[in-house]
Amino acid sequence: MSRAATLDPARNCCPENPSHIHIIGICGTGMAALAGMLKQVGYRITGSDQNVYPPMSDFLAECGIPVLAGYCAENLRDTPDLVIVGNVVRATNPEAIALAEQQIPYLSMPQALGEFFLAGHRSLVVAGTHGKTTTSSLLATTLHRAGCTPGFMIGGIVEAFGRNFNISQAPYFVVEGDEYDTAFFNKVSKFHHYRPECAILTSVEFDHADIFADLEAIKASFAEFIERIPSHGVLVAHTDDEVVRELTAQARCPVIGYGVQDNCRWQVKDVTPHGVSTTFTLAYDHKNIGEFSLPMPGVHNVLNATAVIALLHHLGFALDDVRRGLASFEGVKRRQQIRGCVAGVTVIDDFAHHPTAVAETVKALRMAWPTSRLIIVFEPRTNSSRRSIFQQNYAVAFQGADQVIVREHVPLDGIPAEQQFSSTTLVKDLKARGMEAAYFPDTDTIIAHVAGVAQDGDVVAVLSNGGFDNIHDRLLIALAATGKKSFA
């Protein structure tokens, strides 16, 4: 039987005046950002990971942070004052075992963020099953444009800053409130450590089937998060969502509802697409407060922007400043991001993977390109999407696409075959609905197919929460090699 670390709960704390901080699992997006932030404020940082490769290895090297390849007890030989443990690290990790044996103080990434960067700031947490990264980025960018550049830590690269984190002396810190679990020694949602004074709640659905048993378990975690918002704070909530309404009914802080329904305090009206941009009007307490412009397509993004408007209005920012900030938003990498246009074919990268997110993304792309042929390439990659729990949901999520291409999923270890997602079944179900769909076993065959069938004016959107074997750049190269020309 494998050895496993048994960490002393009394050591789960930050020592007084640490100097050297070691990070286990440093190459994760959030962990690397935290490492850069800690280095920037003057700590000596070291780290280790079993997957040390660009872009994170390059980023850490630019920060002057040495990274040890692989996990071993020797990595803690130069005993650090504090160890931060990533949630990819298991109790059987040799470094985690050495950490326990040496009795070094330790924190999880969310605990460390709270300890080093949220203390002394007004924490603005964006939570929800969908839209967290986009909404957090909208909030941080709009604050920046309003002259109050916040600190932030977000799960995507915010184009206005060119990175996913920022340190600031301003009063606000924007943090994307992930409901995924914290660490092997602290099996609670990350957002429980984010000290929310104000929060946005976009949606609550079942997800993360590897750590939540059912929707009730997720609701319990969100309910605990809402309870952490103090009575002097505020919760801006998408009250069109039935589950959100249920959860916010128990909030001890004021709740500001937003959505499209008449009972929302901030009500979205008259959404008008203009290619990849959208204009919309808002009513506040049933009074029209004018038009807003957002350089993003889709009603779901209009709702994300409305949440930001509602929160910043509550915090006292002038609506004209907020309006200008939203209109200048440059976007977020991997959220409806145009990667290139070759031979008249536009290739888009998007993070959507949950069926609801897929459906909203397809709707948004159809709004932006109403007359183009829309080809969707889907990679089921998350722990939830590779299970059968969403099999039927995916069958209706691609409505509006002209062609759907599905990659074979990588099977989940230890999960019976009947509980695994089936790419071929999805394609069969889509065809039964009259849609054009195709299955391919790997990325190479998908690239060859798309490059062969794509025509001038087509839009190809790749939906995946991972790198997908660099399919975007490779597809653009393959399109260029076909010799097809644009007739635009």
Side-chain angles (χ1 to χ4, degrees):
M1 182 178 293
S2 299
R3 295 175 64 202
T6 302
L7 297 175
D8 181 357
R11 296 283 180 178
N12 187 201
C13 61
C14 184
E16 188 174 352
N17 299 320
S19 175
H20 175 199
I21 301 174
H22 181 78
I23 301 177
I24 308 177
I26 196 170
C27 289
T29 303
M31 297 294 278
L34 179 64
M37 294 165 72
L38 290 167
K39 176 73 173 181
Q40 186 174 330
V41 295
Y43 294 99
R44 176 192 168 202
I45 305 298
T46 59
S48 59
D49 209 302
Q50 63 182 359
N51 298 309
V52 183
Y53 49 79
M56 285 307 166
S57 59
D58 292 341
F59 166 74
L60 292 165
E62 290 170 5
C63 292
I65 298 173
V67 179
L68 299 161
Y71 300 119
C72 65
E74 282 292 298
N75 291 346
L76 297 180
R77 180 176 57 183
D78 181 16
T79 309
D81 303 306
L82 173 68
V83 173
I84 299 174
V85 184
N87 76 342
V88 299
V89 176
R90 300 291 174 257
T92 53
N93 184 298
E95 241 166 280
I97 294 170
L99 171 64
E101 291 174 345
Q102 295 184 43
Q103 293 287 292
I104 303 169
Y106 63 94
L107 294 172
S108 65
M109 186 275 283
Q111 288 174 323
L113 183 65
E115 181 74 29
F116 289 101
F117 298 104
L118 299 183
H121 286 84
R122 301 180 68 182
S123 179
L124 310 180
V125 182
V126 178
T129 307
H130 311 296
K132 293 186 292 293
T133 301
T134 298
T135 308
S136 301
S137 301
L138 281 164
L139 179 56
T141 302
T142 306
L143 278 166
H144 173 56
R145 296 279 150 71
C148 188
T149 304
F152 65 79
M153 187 169 177
I154 295 172
I157 302 299
V158 186
E159 293 286 14
F161 294 85
R163 57 186 184 275
N164 68 333
F165 69 91
N166 190 54
I167 297 173
S168 171
Q169 297 303 311
Y172 301 109
F173 195 104
V174 176
V175 58
E176 179 177 334
D178 189 358
E179 69 271 26
Y180 205 76
D181 70 350
T182 295
F184 76 84
F185 53 85
N186 186 215
K187 305 299 281 184
V188 301
S189 294
K190 293 177 183 174
F191 56 35
H192 293 321
H193 297 290
Y194 290 158
R195 311 182 186 194
E197 177 181 324
C198 302
I200 290 172
L201 181 56
T202 65
S203 52
V204 178
E205 283 195 73
F206 181 64
D207 199 4
H208 307 306
D210 51 325
I211 60 171
F212 290 108
D214 50 31
L215 177 59
E216 291 303 313
I218 287 180
K219 286 164 61 176
S221 188
F222 275 97
E224 185 178 343
F225 169 74
I226 292 170
E227 178 62 23
R228 292 177 184 274
I229 304 170
S231 58
H232 66 268
V234 72
L235 174 61
V236 175
H238 181 209
T239 47
D240 288 344
D241 185 310
E242 181 179 353
V243 179
V244 170
R245 287 199 307 273
E246 175 191 339
L247 291 171
T248 56
Q250 306 302 317
R252 62 187 175 123
C253 66
V255 176
I256 300 173
Y258 71 94
V260 300
Q261 297 178 4
D262 289 339
N263 61 349
C264 296
R265 193 167 184 192
W266 288 86
Q267 185 183 12
V268 174
K269 295 184 174 184
D270 304 325
V271 177
T272 306
H274 304 278
V276 294
S277 296
T278 311
T279 58
F280 59 100
T281 57
L282 281 181
Y284 174 60
D285 285 342
H286 304 290
K287 295 180 181 179
N288 193 313
I289 59 166
E291 186 176 85
F292 292 79
S293 177
L294 185 68
M296 302 179 77
V299 174
H300 67 300
N301 284 320
V302 167
L303 289 167
N304 293 336
T306 301
V308 170
I309 294 165
L311 178 54
L312 293 181
H313 176 266
H314 172 80
L315 293 174
F317 287 86
L319 282 177
D320 283 345
D321 290 340
V322 175
R323 185 179 282 108
R324 283 191 292 269
L326 291 174
S328 68
F329 183 61
E330 297 94 335
V332 193
K333 287 191 185 300
R334 308 224 52 222
R335 271 66 178 180
Q336 296 174 15
Q337 180 189 11
I338 298 175
R339 295 290 294 269
C341 186
V342 172
V345 180
T346 302
V347 176
I348 293 173
D349 182 10
D350 196 88
F351 199 73
H353 48 85
H354 187 284
T356 300
V358 169
E360 291 299 327
T361 299
V362 173
K363 288 178 188 175
L365 295 173
R366 179 49 70 204
M367 286 177 66
W369 286 276
T371 60
S372 296
R373 186 169 67 148
L374 179 58
I375 301 172
I376 302 293
V377 180
F378 175 59
E379 180 189 35
R381 183 178 176 276
T382 66
N383 276 292
S384 294
S385 65
R386 289 188 286 161
R387 286 173 161 84
S388 62
I389 50 172
F390 291 140
Q391 188 79 52
Q392 295 306 311
N393 302 74
Y394 282 121
V396 298
F398 295 90
Q399 194 66 39
D402 294 294
Q403 184 177 153
V404 180
I405 296 166
V406 186
R407 188 194 190 281
E408 181 59 87
H409 83 288
V410 176
L412 287 162
D413 293 337
I415 303 297
E418 64 273 12
Q419 294 179 22
Q420 303 245 11
F421 173 81
S422 170
S423 296
T424 54
T425 298
L426 174 57
V427 169
K428 178 181 176 182
D429 290 344
L430 291 170
K431 288 181 174 180
R433 292 176 175 274
M435 298 184 68
E436 185 178 348
Y439 155 86
F440 291 93
D442 54 42
T443 307
D444 290 345
T445 52
I446 289 175
I447 292 171
H449 171 77
V450 175
V453 303
Q455 303 169 5
D456 183 23
D458 287 354
V459 174
V460 179
V462 180
L463 309 188
S464 171
N465 77 319
F468 206 154
D469 303 322
N470 195 29
I471 188 173
H472 319 87
D473 291 340
R474 293 169 61 196
L475 177 56
L476 289 166
I477 292 169
L479 286 166
T482 64
K484 297 177 182 177
K485 298 186 184 298
S486 171
F487 297 99

